[in-house]
Amino acid sequence: MSELFDRIDALVASRSVLPPPAERKRLRQAHGLTLDEVAAALDVRRATVSGWESGKTEPRPPEREAYARLLGKLAELYPADTNVAPPAEGTAVPGTFGGASASAPQALPTDAAHEAAAMTTKQNTQPRPAHDSVPSTAAPRPARATTAPSTSRHPGAKKAAPAAALTGTDPRFANGPLAVVDVEDGQVLAYCTGGLVLDVPAKSLAALVDWTLAEARLGQPKLSGPGKDADPLLVLTQAALERYGLPTTLTEEERLAGRIPEGHKAVKQLARAQWKLTKRGFGPWARIYRPATGSERACVQLCIPSWNALDARHWGEAGQLPPAELARVLGVYASRVMTPRGSTAVTGLELMTALHPPTRASEPDADGKRHSEHNPGSLGKDAIDPMNWPPCEVPDGHPVLKDLPRFHVRGPGEKLFEEAYDWARPMTDGECMLRHLVGIDVNMAFAAGANGLTVGLGEATHVKAPAFDPKLPGSWLVDLSHIDLSRVKVGKEWVELDGSLLPSPFTPTGERPEGPAWYATPSVAYAAELGYEVRPIEAYVRHESGRYLDGWYQRLRDAYLATMADLGVGVDLAPADFLTTMDGYRARDPELAIVVSAIKATVKGGLGKLRERPRGEGWKPGQPWRALSRPTWRPDIRAAVISRTRTNLHRKIVKHAAFTGQYPVAVLSDCVVYAAGGTSPLDFLPYREGKPLPGGFKLGINPGLVKHEGTQSVLWGEEVRERFDAPELNLARYIKDGTVTDADSGE
């Protein structure tokens, strides 16, 4: 009889009542439990508990009774607030990933569609974040309906109706743009965005590629009408590398080559299966493809963190994150920027092309057929002939300079040298009497410099003694040495300044020009704005022009603002509140802080790629290198953005000096240091009733506004300069944490 009663008890326990999935997660987080702790207590895997909380699966005996008991105890400790109806999963929250506001981008249409589809199912089958340390205001990952094929991690679970069937969304990308492939307990798993985990049946690397294209439903919709959908991205952990016969780390020789040898067994295996690799081979960012047939692409990209695919300078500790967390970081970046195509620099450049594809389909001809034609506003599909580049715009070693003497050094009259600031000066006696040095940093300075900038789209035309036209992009040989910063126009009025305390806006060193030099259009336009006549000697101008970078800027701006909003930093904060909110913002969600860093690196890296230099491969000066064959090899556009960024900063410095009599002590790129009586930017920025100086520095998170970079004492600055006997050591380089090493000082 006792055995019979035990069976009855077990039968009752098998139907233990459980709270809804969202409540399960709330109760766990309310008690400060992690997924790993719950999994260990119940003797199940972490992904299993995550599936229970997402509603993707339901626990079965004997774990169900124990799980119900745990939740019951927690419910007694943390009863739900019955007076407030909880928002539906995926409901838009101002400033967060799920919502759209004036300052934050909208989520991709597919995300909203999947959320709507999941909400229509009888059972909440919407996968929720597997990450358990995110505060309630942090960015929820894109919600996905459980539309996995037979490879679903839990094939016995009930499945929602396919999202595409309910919303009309393309089902190819139902599981997100990417997956992190890992091996747990002998099973290969693919961690997708939104908490979804798929079983991977592939036994070989070639089979993994086949499975990805045939069943995984990974990818991302194109960003522009004439563009192409993003290929699926697989991120391989070290365990996955071992499973598929790849080295977990590269040898020194392989690292320098950027790839494993062509004779490696994994490469041969792909070749036998008729898969191809791009010219860069099987490296940290490998692309595996078959030639396209018609409009159908067959391409999968691999990202291998242990081969340094995720550079720590830009991605921080992302490469060491667990699979679910790494999928979250890369998934947020992919949704807001684009699916990574390589380094942040490569992705920044690819984003330009994705937003402005070089070609589009023509109108139907007489036979009803469409043809490929130039897409207006793009850089075209063909690169500029290397020998048609203006000599002043190209870097040393370019083919157009092959006839120069071998050790010839080009001066300002031969070379366009638009670079970011690196300027500093000794402090005055009055500044030394103050107690602090306060650094402010311009948010997304180079992105802001690209916004609204008219750039050339085609080849340049050489003209002699032209009249300067500020609306015409190009490079101008002009003498600006006569411009005296002691007397300049600010708006419509002339003002007197101490020009010896100001950097020149026309050189990166801040030194006054000594004669004719090449400048991009924004630099010459700023000279005219300061009230001085400019007479170019010659120029290379581009009559075909447009605001090519506007869409690029807007997408990166929106990605940055949305992620900062998720970290609690909004666009409408009062100055003091903004400074307080920025203090320690990265610690609120270290994973989203990684995304912020990657977005910033995408801006700078993408612009740097416009003038990519040779990267080994046996290159010799005077020979072309691979990057020259790209339509996006455009050093003139890079120069124009840097020129505009530098003059934008100088304009604010001049306005500030004219109004307050305060001058910068040091400027490094987008960071400016002032001597002040207090430790806060508010101790020297001229706010009146909460309003900043028009045209001057303004605290805020928007690109072009400034944040607090760091504060050190004046005594620290003087001691550092005396220690290295360098009265003009650039203190802006060390203002953040005050650390200076002998290597930094050049000794």
Side-chain angles (χ1 to χ4, degrees):
M1 185 65 69
S2 175
E3 183 178 343
L4 177 61
F5 286 169
D6 289 342
R7 290 202 300 270
I8 294 298
D9 290 342
L11 182 62
V12 173
S14 70
R15 300 295 187 268
S16 297
V17 178
L18 296 174
E23 178 67 3
R24 302 170 195 174
K25 181 176 180 180
R26 185 193 72 80
L27 291 170
R28 174 179 59 78
Q29 291 183 334
H31 200 61
L33 298 176
T34 67
L35 288 169
D36 289 321
E37 289 173 328
V38 175
L42 299 176
D43 196 22
V44 296
R45 295 190 310 107
R46 183 183 192 275
T48 301
V49 180
S50 177
W52 296 345
E53 290 188 355
S54 71
K56 184 171 55 179
T57 61
E58 288 295 313
R60 291 178 291 185
E63 292 85 2
R64 185 182 180 95
E65 181 182 12
Y67 189 46
R69 183 178 180 84
L70 169 66
L71 296 175
K73 294 290 186 182
L74 294 178
E76 294 175 5
L77 295 173
Y78 309 100
D81 185 354
T82 58
N83 295 322
V84 180
E89 183 76 11
T91 299
V93 179
T96 66
F97 184 61
S101 66
S103 62
Q106 295 182 352
L108 290 175
T110 51
D111 297 333
H114 290 312
E115 291 172 356
M119 293 301 296
T120 62
T121 59
K122 295 181 180 179
Q123 190 176 17
N124 183 6
T125 57
Q126 189 174 345
R128 294 192 179 87
H131 182 72
D132 57 289
S133 62
V134 185
S136 59
T137 57
R141 281 152 287 181
R144 306 277 181 189
T146 343
T147 58
S150 59
T151 54
S152 172
R153 179 69 189 110
H154 304 282
K158 295 181 180 180
K159 299 179 181 178
L166 298 173
T167 66
T169 303
D170 190 334
R172 293 174 300 163
F173 313 126
N175 294 331
L178 55 89
V180 179
V181 180
D182 191 30
V183 180
E184 295 182 17
D185 300 329
Q187 173 64 52
V188 182
L189 305 175
Y191 288 82
C192 306
T193 57
L196 179 66
V197 184
L198 304 177
D199 277 333
V200 180
K203 304 298 183 183
S204 67
L205 187 60
L208 177 64
V209 176
D210 286 325
W211 170 83
T212 302
L213 294 172
E215 298 185 58
R217 286 189 285 181
L218 297 173
Q220 190 176 38
K222 57 190 177 183
L223 298 180
S224 175
K228 298 176 182 177
D229 297 325
D231 298 318
L233 172 65
L234 296 182
V235 185
L236 303 184
T237 66
Q238 289 188 324
L241 293 173
E242 291 179 352
R243 168 61 64 92
Y244 291 116
L246 293 165
T248 56
T249 58
L250 297 179
T251 66
E252 182 66 16
E253 182 179 356
E254 291 169 343
R255 187 186 64 79
L256 293 174
R259 66 187 74 187
I260 59 177
E262 293 183 5
H264 191 280
K265 61 181 181 180
V267 178
K268 291 182 177 179
Q269 177 197 106
L270 291 172
R272 286 195 298 270
Q274 276 113 39
W275 289 108
K276 297 179 179 294
L277 293 165
T278 57
K279 289 183 179 180
R280 60 183 174 185
F282 204 127
W285 290 93
R287 297 189 69 80
I288 304 172
Y289 73 99
R290 287 190 181 121
T293 56
S295 61
E296 293 297 320
R297 289 169 57 83
C299 183
V300 173
Q301 178 159 305
L302 303 183
C303 167
I304 306 178
S306 64
W307 294 6
N308 199 35
L310 301 175
D311 192 325
R313 293 172 299 175
H314 309 139
W315 288 101
E317 301 299 320
Q320 283 73 53
L321 290 175
E325 282 75 5
L326 180 54
R328 180 199 181 203
V329 168
L330 294 177
V332 172
Y333 179 89
S335 296
R336 293 178 174 175
V337 180
M338 69 180 298
T339 302
R341 292 289 303 273
S343 67
T344 51
V346 169
T347 303
L349 195 69
E350 290 290 338
L351 180 61
M352 297 180 194
T353 302
L355 294 168
H356 282 287
T359 60
R360 67 177 184 182
S362 68
E363 293 297 324
D365 59 17
D367 297 326
K369 294 183 179 179
R370 297 179 183 269
H371 306 276
S372 177
E373 66 177 14
H374 172 66
N375 184 27
S378 74
L379 297 181
K381 65 177 181 178
D382 299 318
I384 295 175
D385 185 333
M387 301 312 292
N388 285 345
W389 274 99
C392 64
E393 292 181 346
V394 299
D396 295 338
H398 189 276
V400 81
L401 305 175
K402 64 180 181 179
D403 294 330
L404 287 179
R406 183 176 180 184
F407 297 106
H408 178 74
V409 178
R410 293 185 294 162
E414 299 173 279
K415 181 179 180 180
L416 179 66
F417 195 63
E418 296 282 16
E419 298 295 341
Y421 266 130
D422 188 350
W423 170 87
R425 62 169 176 82
M427 284 185 276
T428 65
D429 291 342
E431 289 166 340
C432 288
M433 296 298 291
L434 298 172
R435 299 185 61 184
H436 302 284
L437 295 172
V438 182
I440 53 176
D441 179 79
V442 181
N443 297 313
M444 300 273 283
F446 294 98
N451 183 34
L453 178 65
T454 300
V455 301
L457 300 179
E459 295 191 359
T461 300
H462 187 214
V463 291
K464 290 282 190 178
F468 176 66
D469 183 351
K471 296 181 180 180
L472 193 58
S475 301
W476 310 78
L477 180 62
V478 58
D479 190 349
L480 301 180
S481 61
H482 63 290
I483 296 178
D484 183 5
L485 295 179
S486 298
R487 187 172 184 271
V488 297
K489 260 190 174 181
V490 177
K492 296 182 179 180
E493 297 182 0
W494 288 91
V495 298
E496 304 290 334
L497 302 171
D498 188 341
S500 66
L501 301 180
L502 286 170
S504 168
F506 308 118
T507 64
T509 61
E511 298 296 323
R512 188 169 179 167
E514 296 180 353
W518 286 98
Y519 302 97
T521 297
S523 293
V524 187
Y526 185 58
E529 179 186 326
L530 292 175
Y532 289 86
E533 184 180 20
V534 292
R535 293 183 178 179
I537 300 168
E538 61 177 305
Y540 289 92
V541 298
R542 291 172 170 85
H543 296 283
E544 183 187 357
S545 61
R547 292 166 55 159
Y548 175 74
L549 294 172
D550 274 12
W552 182 81
Y553 159 77
Q554 290 161 8
R555 187 159 180 87
L556 289 166
R557 174 204 63 194
D558 290 350
Y560 174 69
L561 292 181
T563 311
M564 290 302 296
D566 292 336
L567 287 164
V569 185
V571 297
D572 297 322
L573 295 172
D577 294 336
F578 169 71
L579 293 174
T580 301
T581 306
M582 282 294 293
D583 188 21
Y585 77 92
R586 301 183 69 87
R588 293 180 200 133
D589 190 328
E591 292 174 13
L592 286 183
I594 291 174
V595 178
V596 171
S597 298
I599 292 169
K600 291 180 178 179
T602 303
V603 172
K604 291 186 177 181
L607 293 172
K609 277 282 186 180
L610 291 170
R611 198 192 66 163
E612 184 176 355
R613 304 297 302 275
R615 303 177 63 186
E617 301 177 340
W619 175 82
K620 294 181 180 179
Q623 295 179 344
W625 58 92
R626 185 184 301 178
L628 299 187
S629 63
R630 294 194 316 248
T632 49
W633 193 82
R634 293 299 301 271
D636 58 308
I637 295 179
R638 172 187 177 273
V641 173
I642 294 175
S643 167
R644 191 161 185 251
T645 302
R646 195 181 63 244
T647 54
N648 281 349
L649 182 58
H650 194 272
R651 185 181 294 107
K652 296 179 188 298
I653 290 172
V654 166
K655 289 254 181 134
H656 185 86
F659 188 79
T660 67
Q662 299 169 335
Y663 296 84
V665 171
V667 184
L668 181 69
S669 187
D670 48 9
C671 176
V672 188
V673 176
Y674 284 91
T679 60
S680 167
L682 289 175
D683 291 315
F684 70 91
L685 293 182
Y687 272 83
R688 289 184 176 179
E689 298 180 355
K691 296 183 179 180
L693 172 67
F697 295 109
K698 178 182 178 181
L699 289 167
I701 199 59
N702 274 304
L705 306 189
V706 299
K707 62 180 181 293
H708 184 204
E709 178 69 4
T711 296
Q712 304 297 330
S713 69
V714 168
L715 290 177
W716 164 85
E718 288 297 280
E719 189 275 331
V720 167
R721 287 177 164 178
E722 287 179 9
R723 188 190 346 155
F724 298 112
D725 192 23
E728 296 183 2
L729 183 72
N730 196 328
L731 299 176
R733 183 171 280 110
Y734 318 107
I735 195 70
K736 191 165 190 175
D737 60 12
T739 303
V740 186
T741 65
D742 290 345
D744 291 331
S745 67
E747 296 188 2

